Amino acid sequence: MTILFESFRRAYMLVARSRPLDALQALLPVLTHLPNNVSVQLLAGRAYLNSAQLARAEEAFTRVLELDPADHYARFALGKALQRQGRLAEAHVQYKLAAAMDGRPEYQEALGEVRARMALNEG
């Protein structure tokens, strides 16, 4: 278990240093042994999102929400992954839920941005 903890810690530090691909490499054994751990899936999702692996990010954040539907950050991050894939209506739903769960300014900004983009697409 100590090896898994060290791998997780290393992956966390690599994500913080904007090295998502290296983080995913470090996180691989942890993902294999703890696929239903919310923290592990969140970190994987962040690394996938930061390396533009949007479908994998979507899968990781969706898995977090299956395990913990009240995770507002996972909803926000899922919204980002969906928005970057051009799936604005789906992103809007996730941003709206995240903003309702927690009033963080970045959630409100993302919600406003996706609403504006959707309005431009309609017009």
Side-chain angles (χ1 to χ4, degrees):
M1 214 44 150
T2 304
I3 293 170
L4 293 179
F5 176 75
E6 288 302 320
S7 294
F8 180 86
R9 212 171 86 172
R10 178 170 161 64
Y12 186 88
M13 291 170 55
L14 288 165
V15 167
R17 293 182 182 149
S18 298
R19 294 177 51 196
L21 296 176
D22 293 331
L24 287 165
Q25 189 82 21
L27 198 57
L28 190 58
V30 186
L31 278 168
T32 301
H33 286 85
L34 299 170
N36 295 321
N37 182 290
V38 169
S39 296
V40 172
Q41 288 294 329
L42 277 172
L43 186 57
R46 287 177 56 204
Y48 288 133
L49 189 63
N50 293 344
S51 63
Q53 296 181 60
L54 303 177
R56 287 184 172 168
E58 179 184 348
E59 288 174 20
F61 294 126
T62 299
R63 183 68 186 128
V64 171
L65 292 171
E66 289 169 356
L67 297 166
D68 182 6
D71 191 311
H72 57 87
Y73 176 78
R75 293 212 176 269
F76 170 71
L78 176 57
K80 285 176 75 169
L82 293 167
Q83 182 178 2
R84 288 178 61 188
Q85 292 177 71
R87 295 161 55 192
L88 300 181
E90 293 170 82
H92 180 259
V93 170
Q94 296 304 321
Y95 286 151
K96 195 171 171 182
L97 287 166
M101 296 166 118
D102 189 300
R104 294 175 193 228
E106 59 265 32
Y107 296 0
Q108 300 295 332
E109 290 171 22
L111 181 58
E113 181 184 321
V114 82
R115 282 182 175 159
R117 285 188 57 199
M118 289 171 66
L120 283 174
N121 290 347
E122 290 175 3

